[in-house]
Amino acid sequence: MSLEPAVAKIVDAYRTCEFVTLGRDGTPIAWPTVALRRDDDTFLVTTSLAFSKKALNIRRDGRVALLFSDPTGSGLEAPEQVFVSGTAVCPDEIVTPPSDDPAYWSLLFDRQPHSRSYVDPPARWLMDWYYLRLLITIVPTEVHIRAPLTASPGDGGGTANGSTSLPGADVLAGFPTAVLSARDPSGAPLLMRTPTTVTPEGFLVEPAPDCEVVPGPAALLVHRHDDRLWGLYNALVPGELRRSNGGGWLLVPQRVIVPSGNGSPRDQLRVLRTVRRSTKTYLRRHGLNRPRVDWPALKALAERSASQDTGI
């Protein structure tokens, strides 16, 4: 399906979106990502081998969804949110930029200037895993426009009250809203922004009016970044969505996942070791050779982006 021009313009301005796939156990798991809308209104998302779980999820069940809801860095003031449901494919073919899709990497270099430093020594010797990619193509089947947020998701000062002993309560308290990933009656994944309120049993949430959620596996995602896609932070609280005693909806948390920890040097070293190990594991399990990264081509693309940024 085609996006209305006004909607496409909003989508193109968003720096990131939330992207949800269905896990092996049916849990809808969402993480922030950069999505490129192509001329035919399909979307391109890429994932490194180190974070291949979303690719594996898609190969089992291609039902996915995108939510454009955090306008940080977009230049738009309180834009509408855009929810896109669709189907995705992810071939088991490793590609290296920029030959896979130069437009995607130009977009990333433009929006996240810090990533240009990855193509220079010594960073390239540590970051080669980052450029071993799987391509995910998303074909939209339904689009919903929702009212703009009244507060930026990165402002902090959420509505959490009461007990803080629940997994993730301290994390959610720093955000005025979170992204709820749930399922509809058919089992397809849904995404919506919601305020969260802590109760002794779990987090009260408010599903979007255009979403018919059902009880079952669900999760809450919070994330932030600055205007140049830096200062990245994200955390996920998986759990069970059920009806509350008052008739609303309650997310009963099971655990909290903070992939990058607190961003300390020790956590950064741990993450680097983990992603490099995960990359090697993916290649070994799939019987694939490690592709060579075209560093000169990446360097040229990064320099072109830098020159446009400075107006040289």
Side-chain angles (χ1 to χ4, degrees), residues 135-158:
L135 304 187
I136 299 170
T137 299
I138 301 155
V139 179
T141 56
E142 195 170 352
V143 177
H144 292 277
I145 309 303
R146 297 176 185 159
L149 295 173
T150 57
S152 170
D155 285 346

Side-chain angles (χ1 to χ4, degrees), residues 16-89:
T16 60
C17 67
E18 295 83 31
F19 178 46
V20 63
T21 62
L22 293 169
R24 186 184 296 275
D25 63 355
T27 300
I29 299 296
W31 293 106
T33 190
V34 174
L36 172 67
R37 185 185 63 84
R38 291 166 163 160
D39 291 341
D40 61 358
D41 282 338
T42 62
F43 289 87
L44 172 65
V45 169
T46 77
T47 184
S48 73
L49 302 189
F51 301 102
S52 61
K53 187 166 290 187
K54 60 176 71 73
L56 301 178
N57 289 345
I58 287 168
R59 291 168 190 167
R60 284 192 303 267
D61 191 328
R63 294 176 295 178
V64 300
L66 301 165
L67 178 65
F68 297 83
S69 67
D70 180 351
T72 304
S74 68
L76 302 177
E77 185 174 350
E80 294 174 308
Q81 302 174 71
V82 181
F83 170 69
V84 179
S85 60
T87 58
V89 294

Side-chain angles (χ1 to χ4, degrees), residues 116 122 128 152 283:
R116 300 169 192 159
D128 60 334
S152 170
L283 291 169

